[in-house]
Amino acid sequence: MRPLIPGDPAAIGPYRLIARLGAGGTGLVHLGRSETGRTVAVKVVRSEHARHPDFRRRFAREVAAARRVGGEWTAAVLDAGTEAPVPWVATRYIAGPDLTTVVARDFGPLPEHSVRVLAHRPASCRRNRSAVSNSPPPTTCSASAPSWCTRPPAGSSSAPRRPGSTRASSGSRRRRRT
């Protein structure tokens, strides 16, 4: 996370911008806050791309596809301005390091089980045939636990589980896969 720089807008749509989260070939991603205090990630398309009708159509299709995919393995789309002079999309902000930071800077190669769990996330999203976005780069992949890892399944009174753990049934204990 980096501070805003001179020339960054103060707001995009209804979101006040707080910081820069990252940049890519097609746009900048800012940390934003709604009027009600909700923290969001706001991707703003670079102005040179916003001038091209074909790019704008693709961007609008990707936002629509992201809305259909949902938010279990991706940050849910909360709002978008695909027809704005400079198109943007606001998604749920997921705090945590990106995959590049985890692997390249902090921890090095991940255990095989972690790699399998992380590889399953985009594959799960792609099962929705309407998704048109290319594979996300590691800098846009959150290494944070998905929501199902931190809450018990519906109808369960069990404590939260970590990825790879198994639930004991009828008093028996199972070994956790590693």
Side-chain angles (χ1 to χ4, degrees), residues 53-124:
D54 287 342
F55 179 87
R56 292 176 72 92
R57 280 191 291 277
R58 278 194 315 274
F59 182 75
R61 281 195 313 265
E62 287 190 17
V63 169
R67 286 183 193 272
R68 286 189 296 271
V69 169
E72 183 177 2
W73 296 108
T74 61
V77 173
L78 304 173
D79 198 359
T82 58
E83 299 298 321
V86 178
W88 57 272
V89 60
T91 62
R92 186 179 123 219
Y93 174 66
I94 302 171
D98 61 65
L99 192 54
T100 295
T101 300
V102 169
V103 174
R105 193 182 78 198
D106 293 345
F107 299 105
L110 298 174
E112 180 182 348
H113 177 72
S114 297
V115 172
R116 289 182 185 279
V117 168
L118 288 169
H120 177 73
R121 292 176 183 184
S124 295

